[in-house]
Amino acid sequence: MSLRITFIGAGAWGTALATAACRLPGARQVRLHVRDAQQALQIQSARVNARYLPGLALPEVLQVVSGPLSELTAGASQEDLFIIATPMAGLRQTLSDLAEVPSSVAWLCKGFEAGTGLMPHEVQAEVAPRMRAGALSGPSFAQEVACGQPAALVAASAHASVRDALVNAFHGPALRIYANDDIVGVEVGGAVKNVLAIATGLCDGLSLGLNARAALITRGLAEMTRLGMALGAKAETFMGLSGLGDLVLTATGDLSRNRKVGLLLAQGLTLAQAVESLGHVAEGVYSARTVHQRAQALGVDMPITAAVVALLDGSLKAGEVVQQLMGRGPRGEAV
């Protein structure tokens, strides 16, 4: 029996990873579920996702489908794999729809749920506690993965069977998949790096220099690690792909949407104007406040995150953010 992988959500990352999965050797059936039926027909006929990955021809073997998820889950087996490629806002409902599948499930979204402050695996524990699930994360721009350029990701889950399923499904010549049982650390890294990328974009947009950027990334990594360890993560996870790796990529890469938000805010655009100009979701905008609230509840000091929240809320201007961070009193580096 061939491996069957179903992607739920046809944004840039879901489409890119589905495309990459089709290129891997071995018998496999790959399906891309599109919520809007009209959009599904357009993608199916044109063989391109014009909204999110224009110019990229989709593999002929990629099946583009729409309709109720119940039609996709009917007859699902333990050997199947469901990949949730929705934004964080769509995770809870999608997990609920998949709650009874016997298959392994993984999500691609990064962030904390608005309102509850929960990480993805905590949302899953609430709505689908019996599910064998995990996260696929790490430093990855959709365009590069879709084009077959090399990348490395982390398959994180408390279940060895889920980690194995993700490695078997995606590990290949252009994608390396590393297994990790520290899902807390992997998810904290994936969420916080988006917030820090906004700060780094602001730094670059204000032309503060490479010294400032290096300091910001390094101190941001310290913030990320403090929060992760307070939540039960392993310190070493933050020195890996889903911590330092994803932070460096998102904070410095020109394809980073979160970094772009910081750049636009530095130019004087309002938050609404910056978000509208992207045309895609920048998860850091939506998770910054939630990250900060969770840190406050734990007594974790995250000054860069706090400054980003103040910037997004409009209580601080771009230049004032720098003054606030540079005006902090001296302390030891390990603090």
Side-chain angles (χ1 to χ4, degrees):
M1 180 182 296
S2 64
L3 173 64
R4 183 166 62 176
I5 310 171
T6 302
F7 288 82
I8 302 170
W13 187 215
T15 304
L17 200 55
T19 299
C22 289
R23 295 197 185 106
L24 293 173
R28 58 185 58 221
Q29 176 187 358
V30 183
R31 303 183 294 183
L32 180 66
H33 180 266
V34 185
R35 181 176 57 181
D36 182 80
Q38 185 61 38
Q39 184 187 10
L41 287 173
Q42 292 173 349
I43 295 174
Q44 177 66 31
S45 60
R47 303 308 299 172
V48 65
N49 189 339
R51 179 177 179 183
Y52 291 106
L53 288 174
L56 176 75
L58 300 180
E60 289 299 324
V61 294
L62 177 61
Q63 301 176 24
V64 181
V65 299
S66 62
L69 290 184
S70 57
E71 296 179 359
L72 292 179
T73 59
S77 70
Q78 291 187 1
E79 287 70 36
D80 289 339
L81 178 60
F82 286 87
I83 304 294
I84 301 174
T86 68
M88 189 67 195
L91 178 65
R92 180 176 290 269
Q93 182 58 55
T94 309
L95 284 170
S96 180
D97 292 338
L98 298 176
E100 301 304 321
V101 299
S103 319
S104 293
V105 177
W107 43 82
L108 306 179
C109 53
K110 301 172 181 178
F112 286 62
E113 186 179 46
T116 67
L118 298 178
M119 290 178 282
H121 78 276
E122 294 173 320
V123 176
Q124 177 253 312
E126 279 195 357
V127 301
R130 296 190 302 273
M131 178 181 286
R132 294 183 298 114
L136 189 61
S137 190
S140 49
F141 286 140
Q143 292 93 325
E144 293 188 1
V145 170
C147 292
Q149 293 179 272
L153 302 175
V154 178
S157 176
H159 304 275
S161 61
V162 175
R163 299 193 298 269
D164 291 343
L166 291 169
V167 171
N168 292 335
F170 297 110
H171 192 88
L175 269 180
R176 289 194 62 83
I177 310 297
Y178 293 85
N180 192 327
D181 63 0
D182 181 17
I183 193 167
V184 175
V186 168
E187 290 191 338
V188 169
V192 178
K193 60 92 181 181
N194 285 329
V195 182
L196 299 173
I198 295 175
T200 311
L202 181 71
C203 171
D204 290 344
L206 294 173
S207 300
L208 299 182
L210 299 179
N211 294 340
R213 180 203 280 181
L216 189 59
I217 291 174
T218 306
R219 295 311 300 164
L221 179 62
E223 283 192 19
M224 177 193 294
T225 305
R226 284 198 298 269
L227 178 61
M229 292 184 68
L231 289 165
K234 302 174 183 177
E236 57 265 30
T237 298
F238 299 101
M239 297 307 296
L241 290 166
S242 59
L244 178 61
D246 212 354
L247 173 58
V248 169
L249 179 75
T250 312
T252 64
D254 291 336
L255 295 175
S256 167
R257 296 192 293 269
N258 292 283
R259 178 175 180 271
K260 183 68 172 179
V261 169
L263 289 168
L264 294 173
L265 293 175
Q267 294 171 15
L269 272 68
T270 66
L271 178 60
Q273 291 170 333
V275 171
E276 183 180 359
S277 72
L278 291 178
H280 297 253
V281 174
E283 290 283 12
V285 172
Y286 305 102
S287 62
R289 187 176 297 103
T290 310
V291 169
H292 186 229
Q293 289 170 346
R294 189 121 189 210
Q296 286 183 309
L298 292 166
V300 176
D301 186 31
M302 299 186 72
I304 299 173
T305 299
V308 169
V309 171
L311 175 69
L312 298 178
D313 286 346
S315 57
L316 282 181
K317 296 181 180 179
E320 294 171 335
V321 169
V322 179
Q323 293 174 9
Q324 176 172 300
L325 291 174
M326 294 305 293
R328 285 168 54 83
R331 62 195 64 205
E333 186 182 18
V335 178

